[in-house]
Amino acid sequence: MPEKQHGPAPVTVVARFQLTDRHKQDTAAFEEAFDGYREYMTTQHGFLRTSLLRSPDHPDRHVIVTEWRDNSAYKAAVMVPDFLLLTAAGLMELADLVNDHGPVLAAAGAAEGDGVGQYCVVASHEPGEATEDELLARLDAASRREGFVSGSVIASDRREGGRVSLVRLRDAEAAEAGAGPDDELYEVIAEASMEGAASRAA
């Protein structure tokens, strides 16, 4: 059963990137730019995890999912020149960005360790499209499927009343079985977590 958040909620940022026509073949360059993003994020207070996802059908489409302890930690990390002028610029000179970020309304399971090779189903819900209870029921149903790893429902601070659902699954077969017709499917190709950064520093 999904756990509803109480008190200051964790924040998840879902940043969708489409490589521009000029850089459509520069997938490797984009993934190298993510390395710089990941290095910066793992030094930030309140950072929990970041994952780089790539569409298996459209290699010019990526999603970066970054999880934060709370909204103040997220804002402190991204509203500074080092992030805006250096880290983010490397990604945005190659791709167009659409960003959803906001508090986690509910979560199920736990993405632990290195999730590279897992798959993530990403679904955007426009305002009024589905109620929070309906999305929680979908997450609950997903959590009972074979291959389920973790999932969450996020409220968008960019689109008032909008939400994003993320469901992570063990492999492509489980992801394809669980994806709806309007869902986007991505493979996890790189990842870093607060625990991993701490163990490397030790």
Side-chain angles (χ1 to χ4, degrees):
M1 188 68 157
E3 257 183 62
K4 282 200 175 187
Q5 299 296 334
H6 301 287
V11 163
T12 295
V13 182
V14 182
R16 294 175 176 82
F17 292 90
Q18 169 87 47
L19 293 176
T20 63
D21 289 341
R22 181 180 171 196
H23 296 287
K24 210 166 184 66
Q25 305 306 317
D26 291 345
T27 299
F30 184 86
E31 292 166 13
E32 285 173 21
F34 172 77
D35 290 340
Y37 173 91
R38 175 173 51 189
E39 285 175 23
Y40 173 81
M41 289 305 175
T42 56
T43 66
Q44 300 306 299
H45 184 66
F47 163 82
L48 299 176
R49 175 184 296 271
T50 188
S51 306
L52 176 62
L53 318 177
R54 182 177 61 208
S55 168
D57 298 321
H58 306 280
D60 59 331
R61 296 181 191 172
H62 294 77
V63 174
I64 297 176
V65 178
T66 308
E67 301 165 29
W68 296 93
R69 185 196 59 217
D70 54 36
N71 197 48
S72 62
Y74 161 61
K75 287 188 172 178
V78 301
M79 301 302 287
V80 295
D82 278 357
F83 176 76
L84 298 170
L85 299 177
L86 301 175
T87 307
L91 297 165
M92 292 191 290
E93 75 178 41
L94 298 168
D96 295 321
L97 166 68
V98 177
N99 185 318
D100 270 300
H101 60 276
V104 175
L105 300 174
E112 296 175 355
D114 190 350
V116 172
Q118 294 177 351
Y119 281 73
C120 194
V121 177
V122 181
S124 288
H125 310 285
E126 295 304 319
E129 184 179 286
T131 68
E132 185 177 326
D133 286 343
E134 288 170 336
L135 295 177
L136 295 181
R138 287 185 202 175
L139 178 56
D140 185 42
S143 71
R144 299 170 194 275
R145 290 195 197 108
E146 183 70 25
F148 175 85
V149 175
S150 65
S152 56
V153 176
I154 301 135
S156 173
D157 284 348
R158 184 181 68 85
R159 299 172 297 125
E160 187 175 348
R163 298 179 178 90
V164 180
S165 298
L166 300 174
V167 175
R168 187 180 286 221
L169 298 126
R170 186 181 55 223
D171 52 39
E173 185 179 353
E176 286 166 4
D182 298 324
D183 295 341
E184 301 170 66
L185 182 62
Y186 294 89
E187 183 180 3
V188 181
I189 62 170
E191 194 158 68
S193 66
M194 176 182 65
E195 291 85 354
S199 66
R200 286 195 303 274

